[in-house]
Amino acid sequence: MAKTTRRYYFAARNERTTHGYRINFVNIPQAEASGTTYEETVYYSYRVLAEFLAHLPKDEAALTAYTLNQMPDTEDSNVFYSLVSVTPDFDPHKMVTHFTLPQAPPAEIRRKASKLAQLVAHQSKVASL
């Protein structure tokens, strides 16, 4: 049997802005990070999330109150949602972002994946917004 590690999942709203990126957590409005590149912003968001979680009471119910319960819809072409998985020790170096794509025919999945790849491209692309 494969070894499994307990993970908590948090929904993240990712936005490409004219100056870079902003990530905030859907169920944690005060946890927000911004940066010039997507990679930098993800790094900052992991640190912000870890700091927030470290200050919660040592209670499973307190933690799960902030985990994913729904994924919002968006019509904004510069916004996409992802899931951030967190281990019980809240170590930001073990956090992982998971991109979500709805079930669809292969051509539609490729189109959406391509759009997502363009949104997370380096800062040089942001100036073209």
Side-chain angles (χ1 to χ4, degrees), residues 6 36 56 68 79 87 127:
R6 171 81 164 116
T36 305
L56 288 178
L68 176 68
V79 172
T87 54

Side-chain angles (χ1 to χ4, degrees), residues 105-123:
E108 180 65 8
I109 291 173
R110 281 191 294 278
R111 187 187 71 73
K112 288 181 185 251
S114 177
K115 180 182 174 196
L116 182 60
Q118 290 172 359
L119 281 171
V120 299
H122 289 287
Q123 179 62 26

Side-chain angles (χ1 to χ4, degrees), residues 29-79:
Q30 64 272 34
E32 181 177 303
S34 58
T36 305
T37 66
Y38 185 70
E39 293 83 2
E40 171 188 51
T41 310
V42 167
Y43 173 79
Y44 293 150
S45 73
Y46 289 174
R47 304 296 283 184
V48 166
L49 182 58
E51 182 69 20
F52 175 83
L53 296 174
H55 288 90
L56 288 178
K58 302 294 182 225
D59 174 9
E60 184 81 12
L63 177 62
T64 58
Y66 293 101
T67 59
L68 176 68
N69 60 20
Q70 70 177 9
M71 191 69 77
D73 291 327
T74 184
E75 297 297 321
D76 187 331
S77 63
N78 289 314
V79 172

